[in-house]
Amino acid sequence: MKTTETPPVDTAEERPPVTKVTVARTPPAKATEGRVLNFFSHGMLILWAFMVVLPLLWAVMTSFKTDRDIFSSPWALPDRLHFENWSRAWTSANMSDYFLNTVIVVGFSLLGTMLLGSMAAYVLARFDFPGNRFIYFLFIGGMSFPIILALVPLFYVMQNLSLLNTLPGLILVYIAYSLPFTVFFMTAFFRTLPSSVAEAAFVDGASHTRTFFQVMLPMAKPGLISVGIFNFLGQWNQYMLPTVLNTEPDRKVLTQGLVQLAVSQGYKGDWSGLFAGLVMAMLPVLAAYIVFQRQVVQGLTAGALK
Amino acid sequence: MQHGKYRFIVGFLAAPLGIYALFVIWPFIQSIYYSFTDWSGLSPEFKMVGFKNYSRILDDEVFWKSFQHSVTFVLLLPLVTLTLALFFAFMLNVGGRRRKNAAIAGVRGSAFYKVVYFFPQVLSIAIVALLFQFAYNPNSGALNSALKAVGLDSVQPDWLGDPDLALWCVFAVLVWSTVGFFVVLFSAGMASIPRDYYEAALLDGANRITTFFKITLPLLWDTVQSGWAYMGILALGAESFAVVQIMTVGPNGGGPDYSTTVLPLYVYQKAFRDGQAAYATTIGVALLVLTLLFVAVVMRLGRRERLEY
């Protein structure tokens, strides 16, 4: 086995794979390299884990402190758990409104994105017609364009359609900007599904529409879940689109509402309430992630690994 | 499958394509057209001015500052993030102590690390930016008081207020929030590389650094490349806009003396603060060119023979 004296050999790739049996008999860790490396890798890994968790814990801790304690001793534990920060943020700092707006906007956008995205993808993946490739590239081209460029004229398009500062307007825009990735992903997915089932349904007299909704869509469920999670997180966390297109104070979504609060808090000075709001916005997503961790990771990495 | 085929295709494509054309394609085309006008965005009147906006860019000091910052981001951010992520992913998958039945193994608790590292990815970049804005606060922020606590009273940087530091503070937040995603992504890629390759290499006496460069990286190259493109688009687009706009306020937005302005933020300011919509779209076109150039370079440099396994 590997000892430290042997020089590294560069021909690793050409070498045919050795059967597992020979290696399986290897005596367990004798080289010191293993131990040093293990110590080193654990150290680095723990350090980064610490750096990820610490700011989050700090935020949770701070949300339970009084304003005075926040400023005098940022790292000290709260003297007691000031839950009133949370209730104050929820009611008087409008967190409840921001939550509701976000839920409405993301709920409808997600539904619309998934429905329209898979409809377009289905047609593009399984039917041959003039312009198919062109429309496909039109859709996926949107993935690499800087959105901010389109936002300037889009603002005035929305204004002319009286959609500016409305929730339906925001929903439509979320759908439009989620379509490129959704169509890209779902087209690839529909191509992998066997065509025999759809043909059988069609021969049995089902229309194209019925075949899609009753046969193909249920079969595409794993893909729908992956891309659904991706879109959910993207739309829930969206900041730039609402900042530009939705400036009405009553209709703000969570992210822009919090930023708005932070700016105005500079004058009002309710920092503890703001931290409570911040943690309130963080915790549901983190909790959902911990519960559905496997699906979230699969959903978010599926597109990139293809 | 011919009966009613075209009616069905039109019926299914009409709504998605219509929404996409109206809210994405049409504004894109318009913005290129507007970049040749003197439109303020406030009144409906405008006239064509040819390349005047484009020549104005050449003398615009703030534009070149933003440009420089965006280029710094697009060059360094993928490099730092992906290097860190590859390092951690390799540690997680191959850095473990040798156990009885495997020549290589992940570290103990690698599943736990992967869950934790992914946290920032599910949080909104806006919330992350707010959180770090507080942490960077010079008087009572977490960072400076931590420095004080370990006896470094004299080292109390004015993080976001220091023109030399502000950009790097923003940079660090972007790294913090994206590394975890790539750790998980690369781990998934590494897990699908056959173990035999590592075992063979180790038998031949290769150390782990060699196996990383000779086996892991080449076999993971496709994933790294798409990650590189993705990261660069982030660095030029919405994410960098959000962190800079939220974290560095300053009198003009974009930090002290425009030390953190990036191109998307400058587009936003020109269009929605200064009422220079046409000029904003011109800056946007420059951003578009930069983005496409970047993607083209990544695709070109990254082209290698595809390795099958």
Side-chain angles (χ1 to χ4, degrees), chain A residues 222-304:
Chain A
L224 289 173
I225 292 173
S226 293
V227 83
I229 289 171
F230 178 88
N231 281 327
F232 170 76
L233 283 173
Q235 294 176 349
W236 184 271
N237 291 334
Q238 184 57 254
Y239 175 69
M240 189 156 71
L241 290 172
T243 302
V244 172
L245 301 172
N246 181 40
T247 46
E248 187 76 34
D250 294 348
R251 306 212 179 90
K252 290 202 160 165
V253 297
L254 209 46
T255 48
Q256 52 169 171
L258 276 169
V259 172
Q260 173 62 41
L261 274 183
V263 174
S264 66
Q265 254 6 293
Y267 307 104
K268 283 193 221 147
D270 182 10
W271 296 103
S272 50
L274 184 61
F275 263 98
L278 207 59
V279 174
M280 228 178 253
M282 262 168 29
L283 285 188
V285 208
L286 276 185
Y289 163 62
I290 290 170
V291 175
F292 299 107
Q293 181 261 108
R294 195 169 302 228
Q295 287 87 339
V296 173
V297 166
Q298 271 171 2
L300 279 190
T301 51

Side-chain angles (χ1 to χ4, degrees), chain A residues 38 41 45 75 138 156 177 239, chain B residues 23 41 91 97 117 142 245:
Chain A
N38 196 259
S41 42
L45 289 168
W75 281 102
L138 202 62
Y156 299 98
Y177 283 88
Y239 175 69
Chain B
F23 294 109
M91 291 286 138
R97 194 189 296 269
Y117 284 15
Q245 201 241 9

Side-chain angles (χ1 to χ4, degrees), chain A residues 6 22 35 90 96 100 113 120 163 182 184 219 246 259 276 280 288:
Chain A
T6 25
T22 37
R35 209 170 306 146
W90 182 251
S96 51
L100 188 66
T113 308
L163 285 171
T182 311
F184 167 71
M219 271 164 67
N246 181 40
V259 172
M280 228 178 253

Side-chain angles (χ1 to χ4, degrees), chain B residues 98-114:
Chain B
R98 270 179 213 159
R99 276 172 227 147
K100 226 181 234 158
N101 293 317
I104 56 144
V107 295
R108 218 171 276 271
S110 68
F112 167 79
Y113 286 120
K114 275 187 247 175

Side-chain angles (χ1 to χ4, degrees), chain B residues 123-139:
Chain B
L123 298 178
S124 167
I125 190 74
I127 289 171
V128 169
L130 275 178
L131 184 62
F132 276 91
Q133 196 198 12
F134 293 121
Y136 280 131
N137 187 308
N139 304 317

Side-chain angles (χ1 to χ4, degrees), chain A residues 89-293:
Chain A
W90 182 251
T91 50
S92 60
N94 300 334
M95 283 301 292
S96 51
D97 295 344
Y98 300 150
F99 248 108
L100 188 66
N101 288 340
T102 312
V103 168
I104 293 172
V105 172
V106 173
F108 283 103
S109 318
L110 195 58
L111 201 70
T113 308
M114 300 310 293
L115 182 67
L116 296 181
S118 39
M119 276 161 61
Y122 177 67
V123 169
L124 291 172
R126 305 190 70 100
F127 290 88
D128 222 3
F129 58 93
N132 182 319
R133 296 308 289 164
F134 176 75
I135 294 174
Y136 176 71
F137 283 116
L138 202 62
F139 270 119
I140 65 168
M143 284 197 291
S144 61
F145 279 13
I147 296 174
I148 187 85
L149 173 59
L151 284 186
V152 183
L154 179 62
F155 181 89
Y156 299 98
V157 169
M158 303 274 287
Q159 200 171 43
N160 293 336
L161 296 171
S162 316
L163 285 171
L164 203 61
N165 296 331
T166 64
L167 295 186
L170 206 55
I171 291 168
L172 284 172
V173 171
Y174 275 20
I175 294 175
Y177 283 88
S178 308
L179 280 176
F181 183 77
T182 311
V183 169
F184 167 71
F185 185 91
M186 288 312 293
T187 305
F189 198 87
F190 278 124
R191 284 206 187 109
T192 64
L193 294 181
S195 53
S196 52
V197 185
E199 274 156 21
F202 198 67
V203 168
D204 284 348
S207 66
H208 283 298
T209 316
R210 200 175 148 151
T211 310
F212 172 73
F213 282 109
Q214 295 199 332
V215 179
M216 297 311 280
L217 216 49
M219 271 164 67
K221 210 167 138 198
L224 289 173
I225 292 173
S226 293
V227 83
I229 289 171
F230 178 88
N231 281 327
F232 170 76
L233 283 173
Q235 294 176 349
W236 184 271
N237 291 334
Q238 184 57 254
Y239 175 69
M240 189 156 71
L241 290 172
T243 302
V244 172
L245 301 172
N246 181 40
T247 46
E248 187 76 34
D250 294 348
R251 306 212 179 90
K252 290 202 160 165
V253 297
L254 209 46
T255 48
Q256 52 169 171
L258 276 169
V259 172
Q260 173 62 41
L261 274 183
V263 174
S264 66
Q265 254 6 293
Y267 307 104
K268 283 193 221 147
D270 182 10
W271 296 103
S272 50
L274 184 61
F275 263 98
L278 207 59
V279 174
M280 228 178 253
M282 262 168 29
L283 285 188
V285 208
L286 276 185
Y289 163 62
I290 290 170
V291 175
F292 299 107
Q293 181 261 108

Side-chain angles (χ1 to χ4, degrees), chain B residues 179-218:
Chain B
V179 164
F181 171 73
F182 290 102
V183 171
V184 172
L185 181 68
F186 293 153
S187 283
M190 284 181 195
S192 67
I193 296 174
R195 301 259 126 178
D196 304 0
Y197 290 17
Y198 288 110
E199 285 159 3
L202 289 172
L203 271 183
D204 282 347
N207 63 22
R208 285 175 212 240
I209 296 165
T210 315
T211 54
F212 175 78
F213 283 106
K214 296 286 173 186
I215 299 176
T216 313
L217 198 54

